[in-house]
Amino acid sequence: RLGYYTPADLSTLRQMATTLVNTLHRRGGTLSPALLVQLLDVCAADGKEGGLLADALWQRAALDGVRDAACWNAYANTRVRAGHAGEAAEVVREVDGGGAGVCPTAYTRALEIRLHGAAGDLAAARRVFETVRAGIPGVRRTADYTRNGIGLSGLVALNTGTYDAMLHVLGMNGLLDEMQTLFFDLCGHPSAKSLDHLVQIVSQFPYASSRRRLRPRMSTFRSLIRWHAKYWDVSGCVTWIESMHVFGLRPDAAILRSVVTPENAVRELQACGALAVRLAEHYGVETPVEVVRTLERAAKKVARMHDQVRAAMGQPSTLWSS
């Protein structure tokens, strides 16, 4: 998966993409929209290192005239991942203003929500999300936007990616309870009383989990678990992980790494260790070496802290001495 490659993998992909672009230039070949999106996704996964290659690809695409809505969205995403939120916002505005010659899609709106979140404008992110949610949820494909005239009115289909973007922004603002409420809405059961209640409902009615036929993806759970871990809620992370199977998903090593951070390992050493063991035994997730080392370092640090506490308790107190 893009975004989970090692630095060596990304370096190899970057070299392959550069070679491909140079070959096309020498032979007079053209980029297809699908290939352009794939290459831009590689650039996005590469962060700042992929920014220059993304610019070169975009210029080449302009000459070939192959820019469609997916291409514009993918290019805006490379700007975000490279740390150039302002440039990404300009790309989104160009799409919205009609200058790009394409209709905005749900992914365009997801980018817009994330950009508002990065700028610290939670209210604006909410407005964009609610605008999309008020649209026509039954239409999804880009071709349908043009055929039904929805693109002309600015309405796009609500999809899981839009929910993922809003969940990310809520997590950035520490609104964990609101993240859960929005997750319930994604699953089509906004009145669920708790996550356990939702799991029970979905288990009983797996094919009627959403009136919009939307279901959470791995990216949805990654966001939920990541932000709970960010705020040191390891027990909350475990609860979300245990609910994944109801939606046909399984935790992986990347999720384990997001939970077992150095801070969480020190604060919740036993819980983090137990999680690593459970994922290995029940889901076949091999514990990454960095997680093992994090737990080892945390265990040593906790042991030193306990020794210091015992040593301090063994010393005579001077609190009440005159």
Side-chain angles (χ1 to χ4, degrees), residues 263-320:
E263 296 82 4
N264 286 340
V266 172
R267 287 172 169 267
E268 301 283 351
L269 180 59
Q270 291 185 351
C272 288
L275 177 61
V277 172
R278 175 160 178 78
L279 294 191
E281 293 181 349
H282 292 267
Y283 298 101
V285 178
E286 184 176 353
T287 306
V289 175
E290 57 265 40
V291 171
V292 175
R293 292 175 178 171
T294 297
L295 291 172
E296 290 176 345
R297 286 192 292 266
K300 293 179 181 179
K301 187 172 183 178
V302 170
R304 288 196 300 269
M305 293 169 61
H306 287 169
D307 291 341
Q308 292 172 357
V309 170
R310 284 194 291 267
M313 293 178 64
Q315 295 179 357
S317 174
T318 59
L319 182 61
W320 306 109

Side-chain angles (χ1 to χ4, degrees), residues 99-176:
V102 297
C103 295
T105 66
Y107 191 71
T108 311
R109 294 293 176 245
L111 280 170
E112 191 174 355
I113 291 170
R114 288 180 179 271
L115 288 170
H116 284 310
D121 194 344
L122 177 60
R126 291 184 193 275
R127 284 196 299 271
V128 175
F129 179 79
E130 292 301 330
T131 299
V132 178
R133 183 154 60 175
I136 303 176
V139 181
R140 297 187 192 178
R141 298 186 300 276
T142 304
D144 290 331
Y145 297 147
T146 304
R147 181 166 62 250
N148 294 324
I150 298 175
L152 299 178
S153 63
L155 296 177
V156 297
L158 187 66
N159 67 1
T160 304
T162 316
Y163 274 95
D164 286 351
M166 194 64 220
L167 285 169
H168 175 73
V169 174
L170 292 175
M172 291 175 63
N173 288 271
L175 302 174
L176 301 184

Side-chain angles (χ1 to χ4, degrees), residues 17 23 68 201 212 221 230 235 255 268 278 293:
T23 302
D68 62 7
I201 295 173
R212 293 178 296 263
F221 280 96
K230 188 76 172 179
S235 62
I255 285 181
E268 301 283 351
R278 175 160 178 78
R293 292 175 178 171

